[in-house]
Amino acid sequence: MSTLSELVWADWIWFPEGYGWADLKDNDGKVYPKWQDLWACIPIAFCFMIIRKVFERTVAIPLASLLGVKDKQQISAPSNPILESYYCSTSKQPTQSSIESLCKQTDCSVRQVQRWFRQRRNQDRPSKVKKFQEASWRFTFYLFAFFAGLAVLVDKPWFQDVQLIWEDFPRMPLLPSQYWYYMIELGFYLSLVFSVASDVKRKDFKEQLVHHAATILLLSFSWLVNYIRAGTLVLLVHDASDYLLESAKMFSYADWKKTCNLIFTLFAAFFFVTRLIILPFWIIHSTLVLPLGRYSTFPTFYFFNGLMLVLQALHIFWAILILRMVIKFLPGNDIVEDERSDKEEMESEDDSVKPKLREKPKNGHTQNGFSPLNNNHRRRQ
């Protein structure tokens, strides 16, 4: 184990040639980041989860009521153990052959089975108020984080000139403001992972998980090897547009169409500038290209920049979704709909009444709930 530990923490893996962990030992009143500091983000994550629950009940719900966010009354699917068992254990979207098999087991028509599954799926979809609670919580955090990040970075020389993020590397002292900025952001993203089971699941659920995991790994790794200057810039770029997206969602759930469209337009502009221009051409360029002329490459250099490229690939994926939404709402001035949302399936006219499962006929067979015409009796003239 001792040999394995020495190999894992070998200087040549984590630092360029001529540098090592000895350079990050505190001296002359200067403090440097240590891996033990990362444990602080776990209690911060649990604090965020508690604060979120309190916020959603005391702030988000009254705010939703004030803005006129109302849940649509849904028709509950009638009780049917056979269909419920298939829905929970097999599939929420049965195939045509499965529907025919279920019809025989339940003595229901095809239309009734399809209607039951549609209503059952709608029951599982999150309500507007729940979506509003989640969006308002994230809006509050991202807004706070963005302005806190500005306060931390605005007077730093590498904020104006990204080439300075490598000045005196790795012997760059840790500032208290950087410590708290990092720990709070790490704690928040960790809390999102802890609450993923209860959060609203969207179409890009897997991409969101990859994003959270990449962000946590990126922040943790950059803390270990003192890439903190680059890490703070990455955090600020992300927070610059996220609060606009969450506020657009809030007004979308409240059906404030014009306000939603205006904010979403601002968000799209900020997103494209920060995620598709500033991040790749300034920050990633400074972490991937600039060090090559100053230091020799090392394994974790590729790991760090690999995570940066994963984030950039996700940004391109989301940029395509955003572009699709912009194209949809601009011509008709309709409200912006989140392409990642799982939309509610609409009921047809005859589905507005709660359906009854078909009973066995007492006098002969029935077709779609109606007795067949007796061909032996003709209408009298």
Side-chain angles (χ1 to χ4, degrees):
M1 292 300 296
S2 176
T3 304
L4 180 62
S5 177
E6 290 178 3
L7 177 62
V8 170
W9 297 103
D11 291 342
W12 65 271
I13 295 178
W14 297 86
F15 297 95
E17 186 178 357
Y19 300 93
W21 295 108
D23 294 302
L24 295 182
K25 291 183 178 179
D26 298 346
N27 59 77
D28 299 330
K30 295 179 180 180
V31 178
Y32 299 94
K34 303 171 185 63
W35 70 267
Q36 295 92 336
D37 298 333
L38 296 174
W39 290 111
C41 68
I42 296 178
I44 291 176
F46 283 107
C47 287
F48 269 127
M49 295 177 70
I50 296 171
I51 295 171
R52 174 179 177 175
K53 293 297 182 183
V54 175
F55 175 89
E56 289 181 347
R57 292 182 181 181
T58 60
V59 178
I61 292 179
L63 183 59
S65 178
L66 182 64
L67 294 178
V69 180
K70 296 181 180 178
D71 289 330
K72 182 180 178 181
Q73 187 174 4
Q74 294 181 346
I75 301 173
S76 299
S79 176
N80 189 303
I82 296 175
L83 297 181
E84 184 68 27
S85 175
Y86 185 93
Y87 180 88
C88 296
S89 62
T90 307
S91 174
K92 298 180 181 181
Q93 298 277 358
T95 61
Q96 186 62 34
S97 59
S98 298
I99 291 176
E100 292 174 359
S101 175
L102 290 170
C103 288
K104 294 178 182 179
Q105 297 177 48
T106 59
D107 195 29
C108 299
S109 67
V110 171
R111 193 168 187 176
Q112 286 175 318
V113 172
Q114 290 173 336
R115 181 187 302 148
W116 189 94
F117 275 93
R118 180 168 59 249
Q119 292 175 341
R120 186 64 180 84
R121 287 192 296 268
N122 284 338
Q123 281 181 231
D124 283 350
R125 289 185 173 87
S127 64
K128 269 191 176 182
V129 172
K130 179 174 174 59
K131 291 179 180 178
F132 183 90
Q133 288 176 299
E134 182 180 310
S136 59
W137 163 247
R138 296 193 183 196
F139 162 77
T140 303
F141 175 81
Y142 289 138
L143 184 66
F144 166 80
F146 174 65
F147 285 103
L150 276 180
V152 169
L153 293 172
V154 71
D155 61 339
K156 305 299 185 294
W158 60 88
F159 181 71
Q160 303 293 334
D161 184 2
V162 292
Q163 296 189 31
L164 297 179
I165 65 173
W166 293 103
E167 187 179 23
D168 297 330
F169 175 80
R171 304 184 188 95
M172 300 178 290
L174 175 66
L175 303 176
S177 59
Q178 292 175 322
Y179 172 84
W180 286 110
Y181 186 38
Y182 247 71
M183 292 301 109
I184 289 174
E185 289 275 6
L186 254 176
F188 177 75
Y189 280 105
L190 202 58
S191 71
L192 294 182
V193 174
F194 291 159
S195 62
V196 70
S198 60
D199 285 346
V200 176
K201 290 181 174 60
R202 305 182 187 277
K203 293 179 182 178
D204 65 342
F205 174 73
K206 294 180 181 178
E207 289 80 5
Q208 284 282 3
L209 280 182
V210 172
H211 176 270
H212 296 338
T215 302
I216 292 171
L217 282 174
L218 185 66
L219 292 176
S220 301
F221 173 78
S222 61
W223 182 268
L224 287 176
V225 293
N226 208 6
Y227 282 8
I228 293 178
R229 292 181 180 179
T232 52
L233 292 177
V234 173
L235 287 173
L236 186 66
V237 164
H238 279 71
D239 294 334
S241 59
D242 283 343
Y243 68 91
L244 290 171
L245 174 62
E246 300 303 330
S247 60
K249 289 182 189 177
M250 292 166 62
F251 287 110
S252 174
Y253 302 142
D255 291 331
W256 290 34
K257 295 185 178 181
K258 292 184 178 179
T259 306
C260 172
N261 291 349
L262 175 61
I263 295 176
F264 186 81
T265 303
L266 290 174
F267 158 73
F270 273 70
F271 185 94
F272 281 99
V273 170
T274 56
R275 308 284 184 94
L276 300 184
I277 298 177
I278 294 178
L279 183 64
F281 296 106
W282 268 269
I283 300 177
I284 294 181
H285 179 268
S286 66
T287 62
L288 182 61
V289 178
L290 291 182
L292 297 178
R294 302 186 180 189
Y295 307 99
S296 59
T297 56
F298 47 103
T300 51
F301 166 83
Y302 297 107
F303 177 74
F304 176 81
N305 285 287
L307 290 175
M308 294 285 282
L309 294 176
V310 168
L311 285 180
Q312 189 57 42
L314 290 171
H315 296 156
I316 295 172
F317 169 78
W318 283 315
I320 294 172
L321 294 183
I322 293 168
L323 189 60
R324 287 172 58 184
M325 285 187 277
V326 169
I327 292 173
K328 280 185 178 181
F329 90 83
L330 281 179
N333 197 32
D334 294 327
I335 193 167
V336 179
E337 292 183 350
D338 193 344
E339 284 283 338
R340 305 170 303 155
S341 296
D342 190 12
K343 298 178 184 177
E344 181 178 353
E345 297 173 75
M346 301 302 294
E347 300 283 356
S348 59
E349 237 179 82
D350 60 341
D351 292 345
S352 58
V353 180
K354 186 174 180 178
K356 297 181 179 179
L357 297 181
R358 190 178 66 178
E359 298 178 355
K360 291 185 177 181
K362 293 181 180 179
N363 298 313
H365 297 286
T366 60
Q367 296 176 353
N368 294 331
F370 296 94
S371 298
L373 293 177
N374 188 343
N375 293 329
N376 296 325
H377 296 279
R378 298 183 180 178
R379 190 176 60 176
R380 296 180 180 178
Q381 300 294 335

